[in-house]
Amino acid sequence: MLALPSSENADNWAFQLSLFEHFPTLIWRSGADARCSYFNKTWLDFTGRSLEQEVGDGWTMGVHPEDFDRCVGTYLEHFTVRTPFEMEFRLRHKDGSYRWILNTGRPLYDQAGEFAGYIGSCFDITDRRNTEAELRERETRMRTLLASMGEGVIMRDADGVLLLHNVMAEEILGLSAEQMKGWDIHNKLITYLDEEGEPLAPSQTPAMQALSTGLPQSGLLGLDRQDGGRRWLWTNSIPLFDDHSGDRRGVVTTIADVTARRDSEEQLRLALTVFRNSIEAIIVTDAQQRILSVNQAFTDVTGYTSAEAVGQTPRLLHSGHHDRSFYEAMWRDISINGFWQGEINDRRKDGTLYPAALSISTVRDRSGRVTHYVAVFSDITERKASEARIAFLAQHDPLTGLPNRTLLQDRLDQSLAQAARHGSRIALLFLDLDRFKTINDSLGHMVGDRLLQGVALRLSACIRETDTVSRQGGDEFLIVLTDINVPDDAARVAEKILDKLCPAFEIEGQQLATSFSIGIALYPEDGECAETLMKNADTAMYHAKEEGRNTYRFFDEVMNVNALERLHMENALRRALDQQEFQLYYQPQVNLASGRIIGMEALLRWFSGTLGGISPAHFIPLAEECGLIVPIGRWVLFEACRQARQWQDRGLPPVPVAVNLSALQFRRADMVATIREALESAGLDARWLELELTESLLMQSGTDVEATLRELKALGVRMSIDDFGTGYSSLAYLKRFPVDCLKIDQSFVRDLTEDPDDAAIVRAVIQLGRSLRLEVIAEGTETPDQLDFLRAEGCSAAQGYVFSPPLPADAVTELLRIGTLPAAPIVDC
């Protein structure tokens, strides 16, 4: 803080002012009101103005207009806060020019400590400002030069630390300015590579080699950038030396990105490799179509060597298959578009013809003049065969070669249109192969496929060339018979088909007999569109199947009524579970030696609220067909386990409860988890649940079936084979599967006292079970004579009306309480 002198020291202040007059700097003083009251002689000599002109605010007249607001604003701002200030501005010199001055102001205080104004000094800094500007200009020019260079520039010190670089270096290296600031070459911002693409130590780069040897270094350098890109650089490094000591003090490196050029060279090498090793034949000709070069594939396809082809024209391959106009059109396209692509037939050296996929391209120089033609072609013999095969398969069944749904629909539509024009009649036959599912499940899909192929051949021999036989999928076939005069014509074809299928098929040592159930619909009597005819033929086929199979039926309207009833039954069946319309009946299984009840078979009954009681023979096949057997079967399992546990909780003697599993239920549901859940839900020990499996299911013999059976056995449940003897089998599966019981099908038991063959089958099954230590139960035992036969042959158990019909759970409860069940007369239920 500067203090003003007192009045008694006025002489001393006058001395100081006198001293200021001779200072080489510009001195000024202002009062507390910010108005200047003093300027020394140096100031006045500088501005060429008088003291009277400068005092007050007069001095501001010399401030450069561009600096006026900033200068006066800074001045007044500091008067307000009474703090020192320093500022630069331009002041007009007496010669009319403006000079840069550095103005420094300090506040003044009197002896009482009151603010009294400012005193300041100014220095002419024009020369310094000009020098700084020149340096800045030089630096700007240098940076502009570096920035405009197409090459990257990097300067490092003797330790490899970056001192200077340009923007192009950032772009080439893929680094930001911040990353490159003070970047030590040994820091792994990037990975260096040698010419072979192998990692290179930073000390081996041209820049560091130039530093270590003191000699310029240049060469190719690769680098992997942080963004994952790889660049190839041509580098030129020159070491820098100290002017006095001669020591190496740095290195300047220029880098040029030659990635594109290197890639181009690689592409040329690659193109040559591709040309030589391409699987497509390539011909390069000059503008006059003289062959200059061919590849090995050309020789492989045509048989001509390179020596034989060079100098010739591609006409040596002409097959004579195409006329003059074909080639004129080809070259017209090449002339206009510079390119042609298509298929052509050519001839090999040995004279054989082959189809080729050919493309011809024009090569021009920079002036647009044609210099070469390049032809690329390949032998498409196999492709054409594949296309023909694909086109065939698009409209034909791949197994039998017969027309598929698509082609059948097209031919049926054409036949209907033609019949409508000519007023003629056509017949549509819907054929379903009888018992095919049993054969397929028993002997496997390979045998089933062979059977379908044999059937297709016999069917094809039964029709005319104008007719169409089609496989619709699975074991269903459709036949379109055109120009039918009377319905008997269609009947004769159906009879011929049934007759042709009578002889058994011999497949893999098996004699397989089969037949068709055939439904016939006529145009226009049974429908005027394809959809209606198919529906009605399908309905007629179902009636043929219901009436004993191996027969045919014509459609009539009554069949539609039956089909409608079947639809109503299906709809009711879908609601039956939710509406609790199912009930389990139980039929006792009796030990023939003691008369003791040894088990109960659970049998499903349906009492529909709208349709009344429905026979299982009607609704169970329907449930299997529409997939409802899975949820229904689950309900049966849970209900049977619940009832078995309830009987035990009442203190009744525990006996196994047998539940039938359908093949569809077994394949589609997670049976192991479902059965485990049913047992746990009821709290029933697994040994009191018996699963009855069909023989056809076991004979599928897949690894998944065997694995599932092993898991079920591990739970502890019993397993029996239901309807034993009705399937096609070598019986070898009995050794693989952990079954406990064989159930003789009731079809054999029913006539065993009248039919010696049935008696022999029953006797054989009983002996087989005894040999394998399996329990044998005869189903459908209805008469005392049958019972006597079974006892005499040593059958262990039986079930049927001779003991008891199937009964509701409450009625069976009393039988379980008694425990034994003598033979009884047949009672309908």
Side-chain angles (χ1 to χ4, degrees):
M1 180 177 67
L2 298 177
L4 290 175
S6 61
S7 58
E8 51 267 25
N9 292 325
D11 291 341
N12 186 37
W13 176 245
F15 174 75
Q16 291 179 14
L17 291 177
S18 175
L19 189 61
F20 288 157
E21 288 295 308
H22 297 88
F23 269 26
T25 57
L26 284 68
I27 305 297
W28 58 270
R29 181 183 181 281
S30 69
D33 57 0
R35 297 177 62 82
C36 291
S37 58
Y38 171 77
F39 295 92
N40 69 351
K41 185 175 183 301
T42 306
W43 176 291
L44 299 177
D45 289 343
F46 180 91
T47 63
R49 289 160 56 89
S50 65
L51 180 62
E52 289 76 9
Q53 291 175 309
E54 296 288 77
V55 296
D57 298 329
W59 65 274
T60 62
M61 300 299 295
V63 177
H64 194 286
E66 294 179 1
D67 302 334
F68 184 88
D69 290 342
R70 176 175 54 82
C71 174
V72 174
T74 302
Y75 181 78
L76 294 177
E77 178 183 343
H78 283 277
F79 259 87
T80 302
V81 295
R82 300 173 184 178
T83 57
F85 66 83
E86 185 176 276
M87 63 178 171
E88 295 180 6
F89 62 91
R90 284 166 288 183
L91 188 65
R92 187 169 56 236
H93 191 261
K94 62 185 177 182
D95 63 6
S97 65
Y98 282 94
R99 308 282 290 181
W100 281 98
I101 65 169
L102 175 63
N103 188 356
T104 304
R106 296 291 183 270
L108 290 173
Y109 294 88
D110 58 19
Q111 292 296 325
E114 295 294 330
F115 175 69
Y118 269 83
I119 187 168
S121 61
C122 301
F123 296 91
D124 187 342
I125 59 171
T126 303
D127 292 340
R128 190 196 77 186
R129 292 276 299 208
N130 289 340
T131 300
E132 290 175 351
E134 183 178 352
L135 290 174
R136 283 194 299 271
E137 184 179 355
R138 288 180 182 178
E139 182 179 356
T140 299
R141 284 200 299 269
M142 182 186 72
R143 292 191 177 278
T144 301
L145 177 63
L146 290 175
S148 64
M149 290 180 66
E151 296 181 331
V153 178
I154 297 173
M155 178 184 289
R156 297 184 181 276
D157 64 16
D159 296 321
V161 177
L162 189 140
L163 301 174
L164 178 145
H165 72 282
N166 65 352
V167 174
M168 183 56 68
E170 296 175 11
E171 294 182 6
I172 293 174
L173 298 177
L175 298 174
S176 66
E178 185 64 28
Q179 288 175 305
M180 294 190 69
K181 185 177 181 180
W183 171 33
D184 188 331
I185 195 171
H186 299 286
N187 292 345
K188 296 181 179 179
L189 286 179
I190 55 178
T191 300
Y192 298 103
L193 310 168
D194 62 19
E195 291 190 42
E196 304 302 322
E198 297 297 326
L200 185 70
S203 61
Q204 299 301 308
T205 60
M208 299 309 291
Q209 286 293 298
L211 272 175
S212 63
T213 63
L215 299 173
Q217 300 286 331
S218 61
L220 187 67
L221 178 67
L223 57 88
D224 284 336
R225 307 195 318 180
Q226 287 187 332
D227 61 8
R230 175 168 290 189
R231 291 290 186 271
W232 293 97
L233 316 178
W234 183 259
T235 66
N236 191 11
S237 298
I238 300 175
L240 303 176
F241 300 91
D242 187 275
D243 293 338
H244 301 290
S245 65
D247 294 336
R248 291 186 287 274
R249 62 183 182 86
V251 61
V252 174
T253 302
T254 58
I255 55 175
D257 191 335
V258 295
T259 304
R261 188 182 75 189
R262 181 181 171 90
D263 288 347
S264 178
E265 293 171 352
E266 289 293 330
Q267 289 296 323
L268 288 175
R269 284 194 290 270
L270 179 61
L272 182 59
T273 301
V274 170
F275 176 80
R276 290 173 176 170
N277 299 287
S278 173
I279 61 173
E280 294 186 303
I282 302 175
I283 303 173
V284 180
T285 76
D286 61 17
Q288 287 71 44
Q289 301 179 37
R290 288 187 297 270
I291 297 176
L292 302 177
S293 180
V294 297
N295 65 350
Q296 181 60 43
F298 171 88
T299 300
D300 295 340
V301 172
T302 68
Y304 291 100
T305 65
S306 176
E308 291 172 326
V310 171
Q312 301 287 332
T313 70
R315 283 190 291 275
L316 87 162
L317 302 177
H318 283 190
S319 63
H321 183 81
H322 306 285
D323 59 19
R324 181 185 184 89
S325 63
F326 174 85
Y327 292 104
E328 288 177 349
M330 174 197 294
W331 284 104
R332 185 165 55 250
D333 284 352
I334 295 172
S335 176
I336 296 172
N337 303 318
F339 181 79
W340 182 88
Q341 184 174 14
E343 293 184 5
I344 193 170
N345 286 284
D346 277 343
R347 188 183 302 275
R348 296 185 178 89
K349 182 180 178 181
D350 62 9
T352 59
L353 299 178
Y354 64 95
L358 170 66
S359 64
I360 302 174
S361 300
T362 303
V363 180
R364 300 179 183 273
D365 60 18
R366 292 183 178 178
S367 64
R369 182 174 58 90
V370 175
T371 60
H372 299 85
Y373 294 102
V374 177
V376 179
F377 65 94
S378 58
D379 184 346
I380 58 172
T381 301
E382 292 185 5
R383 193 188 83 188
K384 298 290 282 186
S386 296
E387 289 174 351
R389 176 64 176 164
I390 291 170
F392 179 83
L393 291 177
Q395 295 188 317
H396 292 80
D397 172 45
L399 178 64
T400 62
L402 295 177
N404 60 11
R405 291 175 182 270
T406 303
L407 184 55
L408 184 281
Q409 182 71 49
D410 180 65
R411 291 188 180 178
L412 179 56
D413 289 340
Q414 291 183 30
S415 299
L416 288 171
Q418 186 175 6
R421 285 195 302 270
H422 298 132
S424 58
R425 178 187 279 121
I426 67 171
L428 181 66
L429 279 63
F430 198 115
L431 303 88
D432 185 87
L433 203 59
D434 297 329
R435 292 180 296 276
F436 175 74
K437 185 177 185 303
T438 301
I439 296 172
N440 205 38
D441 290 348
S442 301
L443 302 179
H445 295 293
M446 293 290 290
V447 172
D449 289 348
R450 292 277 302 279
L451 176 61
L452 289 173
Q453 290 169 338
V455 168
L457 288 175
R458 294 189 188 182
L459 277 179
S460 299
C462 296
I463 62 171
R464 303 163 298 177
E465 289 186 0
T466 56
D467 302 327
T468 300
V469 57
S470 164
R471 181 179 176 226
Q472 297 294 288
D475 57 354
E476 294 180 346
F477 296 81
L478 277 178
I479 296 179
V480 178
L481 301 178
T482 60
D483 295 325
I484 296 296
N485 294 318
V486 293
D488 282 351
D489 292 342
R492 280 191 291 271
V493 173
E495 290 170 355
K496 184 178 181 181
I497 291 171
L498 296 177
D499 183 60
K500 280 281 188 181
L501 249 64
C502 279
F505 292 85
E506 184 172 345
I507 300 174
E508 296 186 0
Q510 301 275 357
Q511 293 290 324
L512 301 178
T514 187
S515 60
F516 270 125
S517 295
I518 305 174
I520 305 173
L522 299 174
Y523 169 87
E525 294 93 328
D526 301 328
E528 297 185 355
C529 67
E531 182 180 358
T532 302
L533 282 175
M534 286 185 180
K535 178 176 73 68
N536 292 340
D538 184 29
T539 300
M541 182 275 295
Y542 271 106
H543 278 267
K545 194 173 288 290
E546 289 174 356
E547 295 183 19
R549 307 173 187 251
N550 193 27
T551 188
Y552 65 90
R553 288 291 180 270
F554 281 91
F555 172 80
D556 62 49
E557 197 57 39
V558 175
M559 294 180 180
N560 263 343
V561 174
N562 294 337
L564 188 60
E565 290 176 354
R566 186 172 178 273
L567 179 61
H568 290 161
M569 183 187 295
E570 180 178 337
N571 291 334
L573 187 60
R574 293 184 183 277
R575 299 189 298 268
L577 265 182
D578 292 337
Q579 296 180 359
Q580 299 180 353
E581 295 178 349
F582 290 119
Q583 185 176 350
L584 287 187
Y585 274 39
Y586 299 88
Q587 188 172 40
Q589 297 169 339
V590 180
N591 182 283
L592 295 184
S594 64
R596 184 170 53 86
I597 297 175
I598 59 171
M600 288 284 180
E601 180 177 2
L603 299 169
L604 183 62
R605 296 292 184 265
W606 178 26
F607 300 97
S608 170
T610 57
L611 303 177
I614 310 296
S615 167
H618 287 91
F619 77 80
I620 288 181
L622 180 60
E624 290 181 339
E625 183 180 329
C626 62
L628 290 173
I629 195 67
V630 175
I632 293 173
R634 176 184 171 87
W635 178 86
V636 170
L637 272 170
F638 276 74
E639 177 62 18
C641 290
R642 185 199 65 78
Q643 183 61 62
R645 178 65 190 189
Q646 186 182 85
W647 282 329
Q648 293 179 17
D649 290 343
R650 291 183 179 182
L652 298 176
V655 293
V657 175
V659 175
N660 288 278
L661 293 183
S662 74
L664 180 63
Q665 183 183 1
F666 189 89
R667 285 195 301 268
R668 291 180 56 182
D670 185 353
M671 288 309 303
V672 177
T674 300
I675 292 169
R676 183 186 294 112
E677 184 183 353
L679 291 169
E680 292 175 353
S681 175
L684 183 67
D685 192 291
R687 59 181 168 157
W688 303 118
L689 175 64
E690 180 176 314
L691 303 176
E692 294 191 2
L693 310 171
T694 62
E695 191 172 9
S696 61
L697 170 63
L698 294 178
M699 286 185 291
Q700 291 177 12
S701 66
T703 55
D704 54 340
V705 173
E706 295 188 34
T708 301
L709 291 175
R710 284 195 297 271
E711 290 185 61
L712 290 174
K713 195 60 180 176
L715 289 179
V717 299
R718 287 169 50 83
M719 284 188 285
S720 62
I721 300 177
D722 196 20
D723 302 335
F724 185 77
T726 59
Y728 298 84
S729 174
S730 65
L731 304 180
Y733 68 91
L734 288 176
K735 297 189 298 183
R736 299 202 312 272
F737 300 134
V739 297
D740 303 288
C741 176
L742 302 179
K743 299 192 73 176
I744 303 175
D745 187 66
Q746 60 181 347
S747 62
F748 301 123
V749 176
R750 182 184 304 114
D751 299 323
L752 65 82
T753 58
E754 289 89 17
D755 190 332
D757 291 336
D758 285 348
I761 291 173
V762 172
R763 186 179 294 112
V765 174
I766 293 171
Q767 293 299 322
L768 178 64
R770 184 180 300 162
S771 300
L772 295 176
R773 294 185 293 278
L774 299 176
E775 185 178 346
V776 178
I777 298 178
E779 293 185 297
T781 306
E782 297 181 348
T783 69
D785 291 342
Q786 295 168 352
L787 199 59
D788 291 341
F789 179 92
L790 294 172
R791 284 196 179 109
E793 294 298 331
C795 184
S796 55
Q799 73 179 78
Y801 278 66
V802 72
F803 295 112
S804 171
L807 298 171
D810 292 342
V812 173
T813 302
E814 185 60 30
L815 297 180
L816 287 173
R817 182 172 289 110
I818 298 170
T820 59
L821 196 61
I826 299 175
V827 179
D828 290 334
C829 178

